[in-house]
Amino acid sequence: EAGVTQSPTHLIKTRGQQATLRCSPISGHTSVYWYQQALGLGLQFLLWYDEGEERNRGNFPPRFSGRQFPNYSSELNVNALELEDSALYLCASSLVGTIQETQYFGPGTRLLVL
Amino acid sequence: RKEVEQDPGPFNVPEGATVAFNCTYSNSASQSFFWYRQDCRKEPKLLMSVYSSGNEDGRFTAQLNRASQYISLLIRDSKLSDSATYLCVVGVSGAGSYQLTFGKGTKLSVIP
């Protein structure tokens, strides 16, 4: 069974540009989560989508946004990129989105903002 | 106080040693607890969930003390393959939603 996939694996942008990151959950999973892992910091929760709806949002500015498509894949958009946005962006999925469930992570997208 | 706090390490232990990691969390309403493992430049993977009664999976034992808001992970008979960063994770729900909070991780190096 295929795991969570993310694309691209690496992304280089310049300050002020926009970045779009994509995630495909494990087949049958309806919940998708986005996390940011900056160097020296732990995983920071960004967004949670379930059944096409945004269920929760972490403490990030509105220029971080996303959506979930009918096939449960998801997109994270980061507008007006800042140097501090350079990080590993991890997507995870779970079956139905409950607090006791395991979250399965993808390999991440490494975003570098110059 | 940080929401989930761990000793960053690194813990450098010889093969066969027993090593214990501790984690404290600040939100007394936390409802779910996990240990994830993250290898260098890889994604996190669930190691084990942590239950109030404590639980064991082979060489790994996890304990939860709700009164002290403290979680532990014990690894017995350490193997070289146990070298990784161990993430303490706590889940809090409310208002029809929930969120996992990850600690920064404790790095373990098992030395031959």
mmCIF file of all heavy atoms in Angstrom, chain B residues 73-111:
data_model
loop_
_atom_site.group_PDB
_atom_site.id
_atom_site.type_symbol
_atom_site.label_atom_id
_atom_site.label_comp_id
_atom_site.label_asym_id
_atom_site.label_seq_id
_atom_site.Cartn_x
_atom_site.Cartn_y
_atom_site.Cartn_z
ATOM 1 N N LEU B 73 9.701 7.113 28.249
ATOM 2 C CA LEU B 73 9.972 6.024 27.306
ATOM 3 C C LEU B 73 11.243 5.345 27.763
ATOM 4 O O LEU B 73 12.273 6.004 27.951
ATOM 5 C CB LEU B 73 10.135 6.550 25.884
ATOM 6 C CG LEU B 73 10.501 5.508 24.831
ATOM 7 C CD1 LEU B 73 9.341 4.533 24.612
ATOM 8 C CD2 LEU B 73 10.891 6.171 23.508
ATOM 9 N N LEU B 74 11.169 4.036 27.944
ATOM 10 C CA LEU B 74 12.324 3.241 28.359
ATOM 11 C C LEU B 74 12.687 2.302 27.223
ATOM 12 O O LEU B 74 11.812 1.599 26.689
ATOM 13 C CB LEU B 74 11.986 2.444 29.624
ATOM 14 C CG LEU B 74 13.113 1.627 30.227
ATOM 15 C CD1 LEU B 74 14.067 2.545 30.986
ATOM 16 C CD2 LEU B 74 12.558 0.555 31.171
ATOM 17 N N ILE B 75 13.945 2.308 26.846
ATOM 18 C CA ILE B 75 14.436 1.396 25.814
ATOM 19 C C ILE B 75 15.455 0.476 26.471
ATOM 20 O O ILE B 75 16.473 0.928 27.013
ATOM 21 C CB ILE B 75 15.097 2.153 24.639
ATOM 22 C CG1 ILE B 75 14.142 3.183 24.039
ATOM 23 C CG2 ILE B 75 15.558 1.161 23.566
ATOM 24 C CD1 ILE B 75 14.762 4.053 22.951
ATOM 25 N N ARG B 76 15.166 -0.808 26.418
ATOM 26 C CA ARG B 76 16.092 -1.793 26.994
ATOM 27 C C ARG B 76 16.926 -2.415 25.890
ATOM 28 O O ARG B 76 16.509 -2.484 24.733
ATOM 29 C CB ARG B 76 15.312 -2.894 27.716
ATOM 30 C CG ARG B 76 14.611 -2.434 28.988
ATOM 31 C CD ARG B 76 13.874 -3.626 29.634
ATOM 32 N NE ARG B 76 12.839 -4.158 28.756
ATOM 33 C CZ ARG B 76 11.640 -3.649 28.640
ATOM 34 N NH1 ARG B 76 11.306 -2.582 29.355
ATOM 35 N NH2 ARG B 76 10.758 -4.185 27.837
ATOM 36 N N ASP B 77 18.114 -2.900 26.260
ATOM 37 C CA ASP B 77 18.985 -3.610 25.318
ATOM 38 C C ASP B 77 19.118 -2.825 24.008
ATOM 39 O O ASP B 77 18.776 -3.311 22.910
ATOM 40 C CB ASP B 77 18.412 -5.018 25.053
ATOM 41 C CG ASP B 77 19.347 -5.892 24.247
ATOM 42 O OD1 ASP B 77 20.560 -5.613 24.252
ATOM 43 O OD2 ASP B 77 18.853 -6.829 23.581
ATOM 44 N N SER B 78 19.600 -1.612 24.095
ATOM 45 C CA SER B 78 19.682 -0.703 22.941
ATOM 46 C C SER B 78 20.423 -1.330 21.760
ATOM 47 O O SER B 78 21.454 -1.998 21.939
ATOM 48 C CB SER B 78 20.404 0.586 23.347
ATOM 49 O OG SER B 78 19.705 1.273 24.337
ATOM 50 N N LYS B 79 19.891 -1.095 20.580
ATOM 51 C CA LYS B 79 20.514 -1.559 19.331
ATOM 52 C C LYS B 79 21.023 -0.347 18.553
ATOM 53 O O LYS B 79 20.517 0.766 18.722
ATOM 54 C CB LYS B 79 19.481 -2.300 18.459
ATOM 55 C CG LYS B 79 18.677 -3.364 19.169
ATOM 56 C CD LYS B 79 19.515 -4.551 19.540
ATOM 57 C CE LYS B 79 18.641 -5.653 20.149
ATOM 58 N NZ LYS B 79 19.480 -6.709 20.764
ATOM 59 N N LEU B 80 21.976 -0.589 17.659
ATOM 60 C CA LEU B 80 22.474 0.504 16.822
ATOM 61 C C LEU B 80 21.326 1.147 16.039
ATOM 62 O O LEU B 80 21.293 2.363 15.841
ATOM 63 C CB LEU B 80 23.535 -0.002 15.846
ATOM 64 C CG LEU B 80 24.820 -0.522 16.457
ATOM 65 C CD1 LEU B 80 25.740 -1.088 15.369
ATOM 66 C CD2 LEU B 80 25.544 0.553 17.251
ATOM 67 N N SER B 81 20.370 0.310 15.646
ATOM 68 C CA SER B 81 19.245 0.795 14.845
ATOM 69 C C SER B 81 18.271 1.667 15.640
ATOM 70 O O SER B 81 17.358 2.269 15.062
ATOM 71 C CB SER B 81 18.484 -0.385 14.243
ATOM 72 O OG SER B 81 18.055 -1.263 15.273
ATOM 73 N N ASP B 82 18.466 1.733 16.953
ATOM 74 C CA ASP B 82 17.607 2.621 17.764
ATOM 75 C C ASP B 82 18.062 4.071 17.672
ATOM 76 O O ASP B 82 17.360 4.968 18.152
ATOM 77 C CB ASP B 82 17.630 2.189 19.236
ATOM 78 C CG ASP B 82 16.994 0.826 19.475
ATOM 79 O OD1 ASP B 82 16.135 0.423 18.658
ATOM 80 O OD2 ASP B 82 17.368 0.172 20.459
ATOM 81 N N SER B 83 19.218 4.313 17.089
ATOM 82 C CA SER B 83 19.718 5.688 16.954
ATOM 83 C C SER B 83 18.747 6.515 16.127
ATOM 84 O O SER B 83 18.468 6.189 14.970
ATOM 85 C CB SER B 83 21.103 5.691 16.292
ATOM 86 O OG SER B 83 22.037 5.021 17.090
ATOM 87 N N ALA B 84 18.218 7.561 16.727
ATOM 88 C CA ALA B 84 17.195 8.392 16.086
ATOM 89 C C ALA B 84 16.844 9.510 17.056
ATOM 90 O O ALA B 84 17.375 9.587 18.167
ATOM 91 C CB ALA B 84 15.948 7.574 15.775
ATOM 92 N N THR B 85 15.935 10.371 16.629
ATOM 93 C CA THR B 85 15.368 11.379 17.529
ATOM 94 C C THR B 85 13.977 10.913 17.929
ATOM 95 O O THR B 85 13.174 10.532 17.071
ATOM 96 C CB THR B 85 15.309 12.753 16.847
ATOM 97 O OG1 THR B 85 16.631 13.193 16.557
ATOM 98 C CG2 THR B 85 14.639 13.781 17.757
ATOM 99 N N TYR B 86 13.702 10.945 19.234
ATOM 100 C CA TYR B 86 12.427 10.463 19.759
ATOM 101 C C TYR B 86 11.564 11.661 20.144
ATOM 102 O O TYR B 86 11.968 12.504 20.948
ATOM 103 C CB TYR B 86 12.670 9.517 20.944
ATOM 104 C CG TYR B 86 13.280 8.235 20.466
ATOM 105 C CD1 TYR B 86 14.655 8.140 20.248
ATOM 106 C CD2 TYR B 86 12.494 7.118 20.175
ATOM 107 C CE1 TYR B 86 15.227 6.969 19.754
ATOM 108 C CE2 TYR B 86 13.056 5.950 19.689
ATOM 109 C CZ TYR B 86 14.417 5.885 19.476
ATOM 110 O OH TYR B 86 14.982 4.728 18.981
ATOM 111 N N LEU B 87 10.387 11.718 19.541
ATOM 112 C CA LEU B 87 9.489 12.861 19.715
ATOM 113 C C LEU B 87 8.344 12.507 20.648
ATOM 114 O O LEU B 87 7.629 11.524 20.415
ATOM 115 C CB LEU B 87 8.916 13.287 18.353
ATOM 116 C CG LEU B 87 9.921 13.563 17.241
ATOM 117 C CD1 LEU B 87 9.181 13.830 15.929
ATOM 118 C CD2 LEU B 87 10.798 14.741 17.587
ATOM 119 N N CYS B 88 8.173 13.294 21.662
ATOM 120 C CA CYS B 88 7.040 13.153 22.576
ATOM 121 C C CYS B 88 5.884 13.962 21.992
ATOM 122 O O CYS B 88 6.081 15.128 21.595
ATOM 123 C CB CYS B 88 7.449 13.682 23.944
ATOM 124 S SG CYS B 88 6.152 13.698 25.178
ATOM 125 N N VAL B 89 4.712 13.379 21.919
ATOM 126 C CA VAL B 89 3.586 14.026 21.242
ATOM 127 C C VAL B 89 2.347 13.964 22.133
ATOM 128 O O VAL B 89 2.027 12.906 22.676
ATOM 129 C CB VAL B 89 3.287 13.347 19.887
ATOM 130 C CG1 VAL B 89 2.183 14.091 19.150
ATOM 131 C CG2 VAL B 89 4.552 13.264 19.051
ATOM 132 N N VAL B 90 1.662 15.082 22.235
ATOM 133 C CA VAL B 90 0.492 15.184 23.112
ATOM 134 C C VAL B 90 -0.671 15.740 22.304
ATOM 135 O O VAL B 90 -0.507 16.687 21.539
ATOM 136 C CB VAL B 90 0.817 16.109 24.304
ATOM 137 C CG1 VAL B 90 -0.413 16.373 25.131
ATOM 138 C CG2 VAL B 90 1.917 15.497 25.147
ATOM 139 N N GLY B 91 -1.846 15.153 22.483
ATOM 140 C CA GLY B 91 -3.033 15.605 21.765
ATOM 141 C C GLY B 91 -4.040 16.262 22.695
ATOM 142 O O GLY B 91 -4.293 15.764 23.795
ATOM 143 N N VAL B 92 -4.587 17.378 22.241
ATOM 144 C CA VAL B 92 -5.606 18.096 23.002
ATOM 145 C C VAL B 92 -6.786 18.341 22.088
ATOM 146 O O VAL B 92 -6.612 18.744 20.939
ATOM 147 C CB VAL B 92 -5.076 19.455 23.516
ATOM 148 C CG1 VAL B 92 -6.160 20.194 24.283
ATOM 149 C CG2 VAL B 92 -3.859 19.256 24.391
ATOM 150 N N SER B 93 -7.978 18.080 22.581
ATOM 151 C CA SER B 93 -9.165 18.335 21.761
ATOM 152 C C SER B 93 -10.018 19.407 22.405
ATOM 153 O O SER B 93 -9.925 19.669 23.611
ATOM 154 C CB SER B 93 -9.974 17.061 21.582
ATOM 155 O OG SER B 93 -10.512 16.644 22.809
ATOM 156 N N GLY B 94 -10.867 20.010 21.575
ATOM 157 C CA GLY B 94 -11.776 21.030 22.072
ATOM 158 C C GLY B 94 -12.509 21.689 20.926
ATOM 159 O O GLY B 94 -11.964 21.787 19.837
ATOM 160 N N ALA B 95 -13.743 22.116 21.164
ATOM 161 C CA ALA B 95 -14.531 22.813 20.158
ATOM 162 C C ALA B 95 -14.612 22.035 18.856
ATOM 163 O O ALA B 95 -14.488 22.602 17.768
ATOM 164 C CB ALA B 95 -13.958 24.214 19.905
ATOM 165 N N GLY B 96 -14.809 20.734 18.963
ATOM 166 C CA GLY B 96 -14.995 19.908 17.779
ATOM 167 C C GLY B 96 -13.737 19.662 16.972
ATOM 168 O O GLY B 96 -13.813 19.187 15.837
ATOM 169 N N SER B 97 -12.616 19.971 17.526
ATOM 170 C CA SER B 97 -11.369 19.780 16.800
ATOM 171 C C SER B 97 -10.300 19.262 17.749
ATOM 172 O O SER B 97 -10.541 19.124 18.948
ATOM 173 C CB SER B 97 -10.937 21.114 16.183
ATOM 174 O OG SER B 97 -9.786 20.935 15.384
ATOM 175 N N TYR B 98 -9.142 18.967 17.211
ATOM 176 C CA TYR B 98 -8.043 18.575 18.072
ATOM 177 C C TYR B 98 -6.741 18.924 17.390
ATOM 178 O O TYR B 98 -6.702 19.242 16.203
ATOM 179 C CB TYR B 98 -8.101 17.086 18.427
ATOM 180 C CG TYR B 98 -7.469 16.155 17.403
ATOM 181 C CD1 TYR B 98 -6.151 15.723 17.550
ATOM 182 C CD2 TYR B 98 -8.193 15.710 16.311
ATOM 183 C CE1 TYR B 98 -5.582 14.868 16.633
ATOM 184 C CE2 TYR B 98 -7.620 14.859 15.388
ATOM 185 C CZ TYR B 98 -6.316 14.427 15.543
ATOM 186 O OH TYR B 98 -5.752 13.591 14.634
ATOM 187 N N GLN B 99 -5.661 18.839 18.170
ATOM 188 C CA GLN B 99 -4.354 19.190 17.642
ATOM 189 C C GLN B 99 -3.290 18.398 18.382
ATOM 190 O O GLN B 99 -3.370 18.237 19.602
ATOM 191 C CB GLN B 99 -4.105 20.687 17.852
ATOM 192 C CG GLN B 99 -2.772 21.194 17.383
ATOM 193 C CD GLN B 99 -2.677 22.705 17.513
ATOM 194 O OE1 GLN B 99 -3.640 23.435 17.291
ATOM 195 N NE2 GLN B 99 -1.514 23.180 17.894
ATOM 196 N N LEU B 100 -2.322 17.895 17.625
ATOM 197 C CA LEU B 100 -1.157 17.253 18.240
ATOM 198 C C LEU B 100 -0.056 18.292 18.398
ATOM 199 O O LEU B 100 0.192 19.078 17.483
ATOM 200 C CB LEU B 100 -0.646 16.104 17.373
ATOM 201 C CG LEU B 100 -1.549 14.894 17.183
ATOM 202 C CD1 LEU B 100 -0.798 13.807 16.409
ATOM 203 C CD2 LEU B 100 -2.038 14.350 18.518
ATOM 204 N N THR B 101 0.578 18.265 19.566
ATOM 205 C CA THR B 101 1.736 19.128 19.811
ATOM 206 C C THR B 101 2.952 18.243 19.996
ATOM 207 O O THR B 101 2.934 17.311 20.808
ATOM 208 C CB THR B 101 1.513 19.997 21.054
ATOM 209 O OG1 THR B 101 0.351 20.804 20.849
ATOM 210 C CG2 THR B 101 2.710 20.901 21.290
ATOM 211 N N PHE B 102 3.992 18.537 19.233
ATOM 212 C CA PHE B 102 5.214 17.744 19.249
ATOM 213 C C PHE B 102 6.276 18.432 20.089
ATOM 214 O O PHE B 102 6.470 19.652 19.996
ATOM 215 C CB PHE B 102 5.748 17.582 17.826
ATOM 216 C CG PHE B 102 4.980 16.634 16.966
ATOM 217 C CD1 PHE B 102 3.721 16.962 16.501
ATOM 218 C CD2 PHE B 102 5.521 15.411 16.612
ATOM 219 C CE1 PHE B 102 2.999 16.084 15.705
ATOM 220 C CE2 PHE B 102 4.818 14.519 15.808
ATOM 221 C CZ PHE B 102 3.562 14.861 15.360
ATOM 222 N N GLY B 103 6.994 17.629 20.884
ATOM 223 C CA GLY B 103 8.192 18.154 21.517
ATOM 224 C C GLY B 103 9.289 18.274 20.475
ATOM 225 O O GLY B 103 9.165 17.755 19.364
ATOM 226 N N LYS B 104 10.378 18.949 20.850
ATOM 227 C CA LYS B 104 11.479 19.124 19.910
ATOM 228 C C LYS B 104 12.277 17.852 19.702
ATOM 229 O O LYS B 104 13.055 17.750 18.756
ATOM 230 C CB LYS B 104 12.407 20.242 20.384
ATOM 231 C CG LYS B 104 11.810 21.623 20.291
ATOM 232 C CD LYS B 104 12.849 22.676 20.632
ATOM 233 C CE LYS B 104 12.248 24.063 20.568
ATOM 234 N NZ LYS B 104 13.260 25.107 20.884
ATOM 235 N N GLY B 105 12.098 16.883 20.579
ATOM 236 C CA GLY B 105 12.759 15.609 20.391
ATOM 237 C C GLY B 105 13.990 15.422 21.238
ATOM 238 O O GLY B 105 14.645 16.391 21.638
ATOM 239 N N THR B 106 14.286 14.158 21.526
ATOM 240 C CA THR B 106 15.502 13.772 22.232
ATOM 241 C C THR B 106 16.319 12.897 21.298
ATOM 242 O O THR B 106 15.811 11.895 20.785
ATOM 243 C CB THR B 106 15.172 12.987 23.510
ATOM 244 O OG1 THR B 106 14.418 13.803 24.390
ATOM 245 C CG2 THR B 106 16.451 12.526 24.198
ATOM 246 N N LYS B 107 17.558 13.290 21.061
ATOM 247 C CA LYS B 107 18.396 12.552 20.135
ATOM 248 C C LYS B 107 19.134 11.428 20.861
ATOM 249 O O LYS B 107 19.754 11.651 21.898
ATOM 250 C CB LYS B 107 19.404 13.483 19.471
ATOM 251 C CG LYS B 107 20.226 12.813 18.379
ATOM 252 C CD LYS B 107 21.088 13.808 17.623
ATOM 253 C CE LYS B 107 21.866 13.103 16.533
ATOM 254 N NZ LYS B 107 22.720 14.035 15.777
ATOM 255 N N LEU B 108 19.044 10.245 20.307
ATOM 256 C CA LEU B 108 19.727 9.074 20.858
ATOM 257 C C LEU B 108 20.751 8.556 19.858
ATOM 258 O O LEU B 108 20.421 8.354 18.690
ATOM 259 C CB LEU B 108 18.732 7.955 21.173
ATOM 260 C CG LEU B 108 19.324 6.601 21.558
ATOM 261 C CD1 LEU B 108 20.072 6.686 22.889
ATOM 262 C CD2 LEU B 108 18.248 5.520 21.621
ATOM 263 N N SER B 109 21.968 8.358 20.328
ATOM 264 C CA SER B 109 22.996 7.697 19.519
ATOM 265 C C SER B 109 23.446 6.465 20.276
ATOM 266 O O SER B 109 23.926 6.575 21.411
ATOM 267 C CB SER B 109 24.193 8.627 19.272
ATOM 268 O OG SER B 109 23.829 9.698 18.446
ATOM 269 N N VAL B 110 23.277 5.302 19.658
ATOM 270 C CA VAL B 110 23.739 4.051 20.253
ATOM 271 C C VAL B 110 25.083 3.715 19.622
ATOM 272 O O VAL B 110 25.201 3.630 18.398
ATOM 273 C CB VAL B 110 22.736 2.914 20.030
ATOM 274 C CG1 VAL B 110 23.251 1.627 20.675
ATOM 275 C CG2 VAL B 110 21.371 3.294 20.597
ATOM 276 N N ILE B 111 26.072 3.538 20.481
ATOM 277 C CA ILE B 111 27.456 3.398 20.014
ATOM 278 C C ILE B 111 27.885 1.934 20.106
ATOM 279 O O ILE B 111 27.580 1.271 21.095
ATOM 280 C CB ILE B 111 28.369 4.278 20.885
ATOM 281 C CG1 ILE B 111 27.868 5.724 20.853
ATOM 282 C CG2 ILE B 111 29.812 4.211 20.439
ATOM 283 C CD1 ILE B 111 28.404 6.553 21.996
#
